[in-house]
Amino acid sequence: MDTISSLSVPLDENFDVCSSSFFQRFKQLPSPDEVRSHARDQYLAGTNWGNNRRRVVTGYNARPAPSVFKSMGVFVKWGSDMRIAEGQTLYAIRHHLKKKTITVPEIYGWRTDQGEVFLYMEVISGRTLEQAWQEMDASNRLRICSELRTSFDDLRKFQKSAVGKYIGNIARGPLYDRAISLKYMAEAGPFTSVKEFHDWFTNLFKRLVPDPENIPNPYRQDLSDDFEIVFTHKDLHPSNIILSSSDPPRVLAIIDWEQPGWLPAYWEDRKAHYTCSYTGAWSETYLPIILGQYKETWDPWDWYTTSMGCCILRAAEEVRIAVSALRTHELASSILQPSS
C-alpha cells in the first residue's frame, strides 16, 4: 500500500524539484516576472493556451491565461487564486504512488511572488476527452472509462501514513472545494474524522439564517460517518482528461489538481456529477463505470451544497415549511383520533 504523510511533501513557498527531468536539461526555471511578461505577450498575440476569456493584465491576475515556454517544455499555471497545494499534490503522486496507472503532469517547482503563485509543470499536448467525445464510438468510450476506473481505484489506495487520518488537503491544511462557498474555506479543516467534517459541512446552510437554532438539520442522519477517507481529485470532468493521438486513444494525463484532498469516499462521484449535467450519457452511463455511486448520499449532498449558495434562504424556508406541515399533520391527527 502506497503511503504518504503531510511531512513527505515539500512545504516551502518556493521549491525546485531538482530530480525532475527539467533540471536535467536546464539550470533554472523562468522567474515570475518572465512568466508574467511571456503570458502577456502570448495573450496579446492571441497565441495563449486554454480559455480565451482568461485575460492577462499588468496588475491583479487571479486566474490569467497560462504562460507556455515551448522550447523548455514548461507550462506555468499562475495567479493569485493558484495554490501551492496543487504542486504538492502532483509531487506526491509522482513520487509516492508506485503504480503509474494514474498519469499526471510532471511538476518542476513552484514560486510565490507578490501575492501570486506560479506552478511550473511539463507541457502535455493532446485533445481533451470533452473535445473528442462526440466522435468517439462506444468501444473507445468504454475503453477510456475502463482506464480511468483503474486509475481512480489506484488513487483510492493512496493512503496516509501513521501520522493519523484527517480530512484536509495534501499538506494537512484546509480543503479547497468549489462546491463549498469560498467564505468558509479558511475554516475547512483539517478535520480529525468524517463525523467532525460532516457536522461542520451539514450546518453551513444555517450561517446566514437569522434563527439557526430553530431550523432542523434535514439530512444529517443520511450522511454516514463510517465512510473511508480516501484521496480525491474532486474535478473529474471530461475537460480535465487529456487523450493521446493514437488509435485507439488512451488517457495521456489527468490534469487540474487544484482541489484535491482527503475526503469521504463518496465525494469524488458527487463532485463529478456536480461539474456536469446530472442527465445524459456521461452522467448516467459512463461515470458509473469509473466511480462508485453511493446513491444514498445524492440527495443530502445536493441539498447541502445548493443551500450554501444563493438558495440558502430558500432551502431554510423549505425546511420551515416541511416542519410546519408535519406539525400541522400531527396536530390534525391528534384532534381527529378518537378518544379511548
Side-chain angles (χ1 to χ4, degrees), residues 127-136 237-241 243:
R127 300 178 71 193
T128 67
L129 181 59
E130 183 178 47
Q131 292 168 332
W133 186 257
Q134 292 303 321
E135 61 191 56
M136 292 173 67
H237 186 273
S239 64
N240 290 329
I241 301 163
L243 301 182

Side-chain angles (χ1 to χ4, degrees), residues 285-317:
T285 302
Y286 294 99
L287 272 180
I289 297 173
I290 304 169
L291 301 170
Q293 296 298 282
Y294 305 100
K295 291 185 177 181
E296 72 276 15
T297 69
W298 288 13
D299 287 343
W301 193 91
D302 289 351
W303 194 92
Y304 286 117
T305 52
T306 299
S307 68
M308 278 184 282
C310 60
C311 300
I312 182 168
L313 296 178
R314 186 183 71 186
E317 185 61 23

Side-chain angles (χ1 to χ4, degrees), residues 52 63 96 119 124 138 158 166 229 266 283 297 332:
N52 290 328
R63 291 178 176 273
H96 300 296
L119 303 168
I124 296 182
F158 201 16
Y166 67 91
I229 298 174
Y266 67 85
S283 293
T297 69

Side-chain angles (χ1 to χ4, degrees), residues 20-38:
S20 68
S21 61
F22 175 85
F23 287 101
Q24 310 307 310
R25 298 173 291 127
F26 303 99
K27 291 184 177 180
Q28 63 182 21
L29 294 164
S31 70
D33 281 341
E34 289 173 325
V35 170
R36 293 186 186 103
S37 176
H38 194 57

Side-chain angles (χ1 to χ4, degrees), residues 10-303:
L11 302 178
D12 312 67
E13 290 188 348
N14 300 287
F15 183 76
D16 288 338
V17 185
C18 295
S19 60
S20 68
S21 61
F22 175 85
F23 287 101
Q24 310 307 310
R25 298 173 291 127
F26 303 99
K27 291 184 177 180
Q28 63 182 21
L29 294 164
S31 70
D33 281 341
E34 289 173 325
V35 170
R36 293 186 186 103
S37 176
H38 194 57
R40 179 69 173 164
D41 290 343
Q42 290 178 322
Y43 172 73
L44 292 175
T47 59
N48 56 289
W49 285 34
N51 193 330
N52 290 328
R53 292 177 295 178
R54 293 194 173 184
R55 304 172 59 203
V56 181
V57 298
T58 54
Y60 174 79
N61 284 284
R63 291 178 176 273
S67 185
V68 182
F69 297 82
K70 288 186 178 180
S71 63
M72 304 175 100
V74 176
F75 180 96
V76 189
K77 289 181 67 173
W78 64 287
S80 60
D81 281 0
M82 298 299 107
R83 290 166 171 78
I84 288 174
E86 180 170 0
Q88 293 169 324
T89 297
L90 295 175
Y91 177 93
I93 290 174
R94 297 278 299 204
H95 286 76
H96 300 296
L97 190 61
K98 299 203 170 33
K99 284 190 175 181
K100 301 306 180 184
T101 58
I102 185 162
T103 307
V104 302
E106 184 181 11
I107 186 74
Y108 299 145
W110 54 83
R111 300 283 186 273
T112 55
D113 183 72
Q114 300 178 38
E116 296 174 334
V117 170
F118 300 77
L119 303 168
Y120 301 80
M121 63 191 76
E122 70 171 308
V123 170
I124 296 182
S125 299
R127 300 178 71 193
T128 67
L129 181 59
E130 183 178 47
Q131 292 168 332
W133 186 257
Q134 292 303 321
E135 61 191 56
M136 292 173 67
D137 60 27
S139 63
N140 278 330
R141 290 180 179 183
L142 290 171
R143 183 183 296 106
I144 292 298
C145 289
S146 178
E147 284 188 44
L148 291 169
R149 178 74 188 213
T150 300
S151 295
F152 277 83
D153 282 351
D154 287 341
L155 188 66
R156 299 292 171 268
K157 298 173 186 175
F158 201 16
Q159 298 289 326
K160 294 181 290 300
S161 67
V163 297
K165 292 186 175 182
Y166 67 91
I167 288 180
N169 73 16
I170 191 77
R172 210 181 182 91
L175 294 167
Y176 171 63
D177 196 305
R178 294 180 196 147
I180 300 175
S181 176
L182 282 173
K183 66 172 71 73
Y184 306 129
M185 287 299 95
E187 60 180 89
F191 301 98
T192 58
S193 66
V194 173
K195 181 182 185 305
E196 184 183 3
F197 169 69
H198 278 162
D199 287 344
W200 173 80
F201 171 64
T202 61
N203 279 286
L204 291 176
F205 79 100
K206 298 183 179 183
R207 296 289 184 90
L208 298 181
V209 178
D211 55 345
E213 66 280 357
N214 294 323
I215 299 177
N217 200 323
Y219 286 108
R220 176 62 182 92
Q221 71 279 2
D222 296 324
L223 285 177
S224 170
D225 297 328
D226 295 330
F227 282 107
E228 183 183 6
I229 298 174
V230 298
F231 199 68
T232 306
H233 178 274
K234 292 198 290 182
D235 198 5
L236 179 57
H237 186 273
S239 64
N240 290 329
I241 301 163
I242 307 297
L243 301 182
S244 69
S245 58
S246 59
D247 185 16
R250 60 182 181 82
V251 176
L252 200 59
I254 299 170
I255 62 170
D256 199 359
W257 292 81
E258 184 178 347
Q259 302 177 68
W262 303 102
L263 278 152
Y266 67 85
W267 202 271
E268 189 81 89
D269 177 68
R270 297 319 312 132
K271 278 299 297 294
H273 280 88
Y274 178 85
T275 64
C276 62
S277 171
Y278 278 40
T279 59
W282 174 250
S283 293
E284 297 175 335
T285 302
Y286 294 99
L287 272 180
I289 297 173
I290 304 169
L291 301 170
Q293 296 298 282
Y294 305 100
K295 291 185 177 181
E296 72 276 15
T297 69
W298 288 13
D299 287 343
W301 193 91
D302 289 351
W303 194 92

